[in-house]
Amino acid sequence: MKTLAVILFLLTYLLLILMPKYRTQVAVVVAFLFVILGILPYNKVFSTIDWNVILMITGTMGIVSLFIESKMPAAMADFIVDRVGSVKWVIISLSLFAGIVSAFIDNVATVLIVAPVALNLARRINISPVYMLIAISISSNLQGAATLVGDTTSLLLGGFANMDFLDFFFFKGRIGLFFIVQLGAIVSAFVLVVFFRKYNQPIHLEEREKVEDMFPTYLILSMVVLLILASFIPNKPSITNGLICVILLQIGLIKELLINKNKDALNVTLLQIDYQTILILMSLFIIIGGITEVGVINDISKLFLKFGNGGLFTIYSLFVWFSVVVSAFIDNIPYTATMLPVAAKVAAGIGIEPYVLYYGLLVGATLGGNITPIGASANITTLGILRNEGYEVKTKDFMKLSVPFTLSAVISGYVVAWLIWM
């Protein structure tokens, strides 16, 4: 049974890489096979899926859709553009703005929010928007791991390690992942300053986006506040955070339907939810539950211990840099979901708390996707936007900015996470 589980698991990864258009179908079919073949018992299927993560993703995606429709993000970007003097500082400011937004909103959504501003700017001063959009994309990916709701990988960590919103800021008396990521953002910002040092054209906006509805902004702020408050509730239900996000989405939809009389709000908002990602995640929870059930996770953890020769710093380094390499070429969601239980097993094997390995895993997996154009969904989205504008971006051109940006962020996070958590 273990051999069959490993074959199916490796086949899943291979097909996810080779058939990106059919990722959902691949994950769902393999999950069914895991159950039908008895790798994961029927009675454990429901409990294997992390419903808190699923509900949080669903609710957050819906709220973000309402937020984008309100024009608030575009208005915020316009505000930034109108207050800096040159194109260089507009690009850097928009990149940092994209990073801040993506700490609370999905990375792809962040790119879709900020990219039109950059495209408009590029047309106005007659320059190529390629590196502007690449900077925005990789900056949004960088900040995705900063908070519980910033990226699916963070949600996976929060669900697996039972970490709440505030735990990403301060945890067990030490600074958390948020501040580790911020250091990476500061260091990588210097890379942007050097890269765009010749972009000195002056810029000023003549037209600004107007906010159509403040209510979605209040929903976003309420979500953050309620998730923080929920962190203080002892012995709360495991799906508390997910329920908060879904209930706020329902409030937003009710307001659109009954007060704004927007009959299309339900269809438009629900269609913006990425159901494929949700199905993939549910399927991955089942697949990983199956390989854990037959002992594969335990075997992988033994391999890490073997290659690390029992030395914690070596093992930690393996987690970080192996994650960077892998995530540069495959989606970091299945990889992170697979490696979190491995990190827990490895930590248990050497008798330590697992958090330094968790943080190393997320630093490597989240930032590693920035190295190549196919390593992160936001990067793929960005290239699609540029393609529609008539710009074909070569991998080597993308990596001129992405490699120094990513390495500077990863190295700083790698060092700081180790110093703080060991």
Side-chain angles (χ1 to χ4, degrees), residues 312-330:
L312 180 55
F313 181 73
T314 305
I315 293 171
Y316 169 72
S317 299
L318 279 173
F319 266 93
V320 174
W321 295 108
F322 182 70
S323 299
V324 168
V325 173
V326 172
S327 297
F329 300 99
I330 70 169

Side-chain angles (χ1 to χ4, degrees), residues 204-230:
H204 182 73
L205 281 179
E206 295 179 1
E207 296 182 5
R208 297 174 182 82
E209 196 73 63
K210 293 183 179 179
V211 179
E212 296 180 354
D213 185 3
M214 286 296 297
F215 193 74
T217 302
Y218 300 145
L219 286 178
I220 290 279
L221 294 174
S222 298
M223 179 180 72
V224 173
V225 171
L226 290 174
L227 288 174
I228 291 172
L229 293 176

Side-chain angles (χ1 to χ4, degrees), residues 276-296:
Q276 291 195 30
T277 294
I278 293 170
L279 274 175
I280 290 170
L281 272 177
M282 292 174 68
S283 301
L284 287 172
F285 282 133
I286 292 171
I287 293 168
I288 293 160
I291 63 173
T292 302
E293 183 76 15
V294 297
V296 175

